[in-house]
Amino acid sequence: MAETETTTIARPYARAAFAYAQAEDGGLDKWSKMLGTLATVCSAPSVRDALDNPALTADGQAGLLLDLCSEEMNDGGRNFVGLLAEYDRIEILPSISELFELFKSSFEETVEVEITSAYEVGDAERDRLGSALRNMLQREVNIVTDVDASLLGGAVIRTEDTVIDNSVRGKLEKLARQLA
């Protein structure tokens, strides 16, 4: 299934889960954790293979996931998994989880920012970047950093649907495309 199609199909399910979670005390965090666990589990190759087995019924698919994720699930989550299995939508759980997180961060006016740098980002740089991103995005910023020496220098900043590539490798690749 194409990514756009998957997102289109997943959106109403993510919205429904989000609306349900909002009505529950502490529901956003509970549902975030449940959906994240479900997405991770159903993305595992061995689980994906088992779920793709044509002999497995919708109840069997739901049962398999609920057995694997039983500690994280509440009644609403169990019903949600059953509904997804009934309509043959288990495979879009990762997209549902991703969209749910976007709705949650928008609601909470926060945004996850991933900074991948050629070198370790120091506290002063992190604070300066966080302040600039807060001003630019008009939201509270949660920064996660990663080191990738193959960038050679600079950094790549990712948030939701925005990517700022200010790495030396990125600039060299852009130059190579222009010269080709």
Side-chain angles (χ1 to χ4, degrees):
M1 198 178 308
E3 184 178 337
T4 354
E5 184 180 333
T6 302
T7 301
T8 301
I9 294 169
R11 188 172 287 110
Y13 292 100
R15 280 196 178 122
F18 184 76
Y20 187 86
Q22 278 185 297
E24 201 177 301
D25 188 36
L28 290 178
D29 289 333
K30 290 176 192 172
W31 274 80
S32 176
K33 191 172 182 179
M34 272 193 302
L35 290 172
T37 300
L38 286 165
T40 301
V41 167
C42 78
S43 294
S46 59
V47 176
R48 197 172 45 243
D49 289 345
L51 291 170
D52 287 342
N53 181 346
L56 195 61
T57 65
D59 287 340
Q61 287 181 329
L64 173 65
L65 273 180
L66 293 174
D67 285 347
L68 294 171
C69 304
S70 62
E71 292 179 20
E72 301 294 329
M73 304 303 292
N74 63 22
D75 289 340
R78 283 188 278 283
N79 291 338
F80 189 70
V81 169
L83 179 78
L84 291 173
E86 182 180 334
Y87 288 98
D88 196 25
R89 300 288 191 228
I90 293 288
E91 77 276 359
I92 65 169
L93 264 165
S95 293
I96 293 171
S97 177
E98 187 177 312
L99 288 167
F100 183 92
E101 291 305 317
L102 287 175
F103 296 152
K104 181 176 180 267
S105 68
S106 179
F107 177 76
E108 294 174 339
E109 295 184 347
T110 62
V111 66
E112 290 285 324
V113 175
E114 179 186 330
I115 301 173
T116 306
S117 174
Y119 303 97
E120 190 68 38
V121 176
D123 290 338
E125 292 168 313
R126 185 185 177 107
D127 291 343
R128 201 168 61 245
L129 281 168
S131 178
L133 290 167
R134 250 187 306 284
N135 290 335
M136 183 176 95
L137 301 170
Q138 297 297 303
R139 294 162 110 180
E140 193 56 39
V141 176
N142 298 323
I143 296 177
V144 176
T145 60
D146 192 21
V147 176
D148 181 357
S150 72
L151 295 178
L152 304 175
V156 177
I157 301 171
R158 289 183 179 84
T159 179
E160 292 177 354
D161 61 352
T162 303
V163 177
I164 302 169
D165 187 347
N166 196 26
S167 67
V168 173
R169 182 180 70 192
K171 289 177 183 178
L172 289 172
E173 288 172 357
K174 184 178 177 181
L175 179 62
R177 281 191 305 271
Q178 287 174 344
L179 293 174

